[in-house]
Amino acid sequence: MSLRIVIADDHARIRGRVRAALEASGCDILGEGASAGDAVRLAVEHRPDVALLDIHMPGNGIQAARDITKAAPEVAVVMLTQSAEDDDLFDSLRAGASGYLLKDTDPATLADKLRGVLDGEAAMPPRLVARIMDEFRAPAKRRFARRSVAAAKLSAREWEVMQLLGEGLSTEKVSQRLFLSPTTVRVHVSSVLKKLRVKDRESAFRLLRDE
């Protein structure tokens, strides 16, 4: 099956490698772009089978995914990115992306993964699939936790971070458990402190436990 593809990434060298790998697998590259605007224009103009988008390019790849899904809903959008952050993953899926691949994906397998998308398969590394499963399991935790006023102010991820920290795990251990960077864990903690209007973690733990 010869796939018709457009590629958008602001790094020309990466675009070249991706293009070479896909063409070697029998795909037709209809156009390349370096921004979200380019991606939308190419998708609307060529109506490819797949629009392969970077996230962190000028104009934002997630916004491009959203715009392509609205303007050309028959085009399957797949993100190809370095980001394994939860926010990027879930925002991409909410924007209409049919797949989410990391740039360390074996180039030789890329075309088959994109063909799988058109057959209804999920183009996603197993570790990211596990995060989605965790997210679907999260509502039960939220219902239990959100009986308190304080907990109701937190997102599911913020609650998970605080719960693990409250159990005595270090920031590094929490980042490994939730597949987040230590910096992202700290950002979640800062957000919780701001929402609960407390100065430190221990105060937040006491507030969440007391209620």
Side-chain angles (χ1 to χ4, degrees):
M1 175 184 176
S2 178
L3 288 182
R4 301 165 63 252
I5 300 171
V6 298
I7 303 169
D9 191 304
D10 59 329
H11 294 94
R13 188 172 299 177
I14 292 176
R15 287 201 314 270
R17 287 202 298 265
V18 171
R19 178 172 193 143
L22 291 172
E23 288 182 334
S25 299
C27 299
D28 294 327
I29 307 303
L30 305 181
E32 297 180 23
S35 68
D38 290 342
V40 177
R41 176 181 55 79
L42 289 168
V44 171
E45 177 182 346
H46 294 290
R47 304 284 168 158
D49 298 310
V50 177
L52 192 59
L53 312 181
D54 182 31
I55 288 180
H56 299 296
M57 60 180 171
N60 190 276
I62 294 173
Q63 184 59 50
R66 189 175 293 111
D67 292 343
I68 290 171
T69 299
K70 290 179 181 177
E74 73 277 17
V75 176
V77 175
V78 176
M79 315 311 289
L80 182 64
T81 178
Q82 292 179 338
S83 173
E85 295 291 338
D86 281 5
D87 287 347
D88 286 337
L89 169 61
F90 292 118
D91 286 350
S92 294
L93 297 178
R94 292 186 189 104
S98 300
Y100 193 100
L101 298 173
L102 300 179
K103 287 183 177 177
D104 60 5
T105 299
D106 181 356
T109 69
L110 185 55
D112 284 341
K113 291 181 186 297
L114 297 183
R115 291 186 181 100
V117 168
L118 298 186
D119 289 335
E121 299 173 7
M124 197 172 299
R127 66 180 183 274
L128 297 188
V129 173
R131 293 189 198 176
I132 292 175
M133 293 174 66
D134 286 343
E135 184 70 9
F136 274 99
R137 286 194 290 263
K141 296 179 183 177
R142 287 200 295 268
R143 285 192 296 270
F144 175 79
R146 296 195 188 287
R147 291 179 299 181
S148 73
V149 175
K153 298 177 181 179
L154 310 186
S155 70
R157 181 60 80 191
E158 288 167 349
W159 174 259
E160 286 181 304
V161 167
M162 295 305 289
Q163 188 174 47
L164 293 175
L165 289 172
E167 291 172 4
L169 274 67
S170 66
T171 297
E172 187 67 31
K173 289 293 185 183
V174 172
S175 71
Q176 293 172 3
R177 178 79 64 87
L178 299 180
F179 300 99
L180 303 172
S181 70
T183 299
T184 300
V185 172
R186 295 187 187 99
V187 169
H188 283 310
V189 172
S190 295
S191 176
V192 169
L193 299 185
K194 185 179 296 185
K195 288 179 179 180
L196 299 185
R197 298 183 180 181
V198 295
K199 294 182 178 180
D200 53 47
R201 296 182 185 188
E202 289 303 321
S203 297
F205 295 149
R206 284 195 297 272
L207 185 58
L208 291 167
R209 288 172 182 147
D210 289 346
E211 293 196 8

